[in-house]
Amino acid sequence: MPYFASPVDAARLHYVDYGPADGPVLFFVNSAYVGTEMWEFQMLPLAEEGYRCVGFDRRGHGRSQDTWGGFDLDSLADDLHGLLELLDLREATLVGHSMGSLEIVRCLTRYGAGRVARIAFVGGIAPGVVRTADNPDGLDPDLVRGANEQCRRDRAAFFAAGVDAFFAVDRPGNDVSAAYRQYIVERALTSTAHSTAAVQALVAAVDVAPELPKLDAPLLVVHGTHDTSAPLDLTARRTARLAPDATLKVYDDAGHGLFVTHAGQLNADLREFAG
């Protein structure tokens, strides 16, 4: 089981590296709360087709070491870049879900696109979901903080209450078994209480809108019409307007968990985009 030392503080971070070493690189950056297991419907089939699929568990998540510090966006982006350097990856396509989109943006604005050929946001929350001067239509910060406090009081109930909306199971075609939904809740609970609170505090304040015009790589933005975690107009449409070379693809009836419900469609779009 491979690990690497964070360039920030030497924290022990777990990573996976599937597929042929000389295949086109797809580097997956996870959502909050879960590890690389979230990408099973992408990594396994795409690695079998010849892509090199790489990803790692964020600090405090999955099989990575928990730490008290290092949850600021700069440090999280440094962890991402550390693995790119360690494996000497070139011409990589970075694929980020939800919070992973923020880490990708900051990584590229800190380090440039020397190792990166393309970027894909899947249900991304970039530029940010909370109301700011640049985002007057964003969510009320007090409401976001209130939801985070509910999670602190009872993480298990918080994740269980939100899982149906996460996959938009009320929409046509989004058939996600009760067993799999329970599995995702259990995986989210493997993130420590501290790391959960830390990433929620980050999301409640972050706004990377000024950084999006600086992205120096083609960007594919994939988003669902029924994403309640990252509403389409607040996130994907704003990203597509702000990034200089962005293509927006909207999936009808998809929720935040489209990497499961629309896995076949997503994989086809990633194949076409990555080449």
Side-chain angles (χ1 to χ4, degrees):
M1 188 178 296
Y3 291 84
F4 73 104
S6 162
V8 176
D9 54 8
R12 193 167 181 257
L13 306 179
H14 172 261
Y15 73 95
V16 296
D17 187 354
Y18 296 155
D22 59 350
V25 178
L26 294 171
F27 189 111
F28 291 89
V29 187
N30 312 329
S31 177
Y33 319 129
V34 292
T36 54
E37 70 279 350
M38 69 166 282
W39 298 109
E40 65 174 291
F41 301 116
Q42 285 71 50
M43 281 192 169
L44 180 58
L46 292 171
E48 290 174 338
E49 292 170 19
Y51 291 88
R52 183 178 182 182
C53 295
V54 177
F56 73 104
D57 293 349
R58 185 183 294 107
R59 57 181 61 226
H61 292 59
R63 287 164 282 188
S64 287
Q65 179 182 347
D66 194 20
T67 59
W68 183 248
F71 289 96
D72 59 285
L73 192 54
D74 283 353
S75 294
L76 295 173
D78 291 350
D79 287 343
L80 191 167
H81 187 258
L83 186 56
L84 282 169
E85 284 203 319
L86 175 73
L87 300 179
D88 193 25
L89 300 178
R90 308 281 179 172
E91 295 293 308
T93 298
L94 302 186
V95 184
H97 180 259
S98 193
M99 181 179 166
S101 63
L102 302 174
E103 290 157 303
I104 289 173
V105 171
R106 184 58 55 86
C107 179
L108 293 186
T109 55
R110 276 173 75 77
Y111 295 101
R115 295 181 177 275
V116 177
R118 304 165 202 83
I119 318 160
F121 293 168
V122 179
I125 62 172
V129 296
V130 178
R131 184 186 307 146
T132 65
D134 290 328
N135 185 24
D137 297 323
L139 304 178
D140 183 339
D142 289 336
L143 292 178
V144 176
R145 286 190 288 267
N148 292 348
E149 283 301 315
Q150 291 180 4
C151 185
R152 289 174 76 103
R153 288 194 294 271
D154 190 337
R155 288 190 302 135
F158 178 83
F159 290 132
V163 70
D164 285 0
F166 183 85
F167 291 115
V169 295
D170 60 324
R171 302 304 302 172
N174 294 343
D175 299 321
V176 183
S177 70
Y180 190 85
R181 281 177 274 160
Q182 179 61 32
Y183 167 73
I184 286 294
V185 170
E186 291 169 353
R187 297 313 303 163
L189 287 169
T190 64
S191 63
T192 66
H194 169 58
S195 68
T196 297
V199 298
Q200 287 180 334
L202 174 63
V203 170
V206 73
D207 181 4
V208 298
E211 298 173 60
L212 287 172
K214 303 175 185 177
L215 295 181
D216 190 21
L219 169 63
L220 173 65
V221 183
V222 175
H223 218 89
T225 57
H226 287 73
D227 189 328
T228 57
S229 300
L232 176 64
D233 289 339
L234 287 182
T235 55
R237 293 200 192 279
R238 289 179 63 220
T239 291
R241 288 196 300 267
L242 291 167
D245 187 7
T247 300
L248 174 62
K249 290 197 173 187
V250 178
Y251 290 8
D252 289 337
D253 294 313
H256 205 47
L258 60 83
F259 56 93
V260 174
T261 58
H262 292 66
Q265 185 177 356
L266 174 61
N267 293 354
D269 283 336
L270 290 176
R271 287 187 199 96
E272 180 181 3
F273 183 59

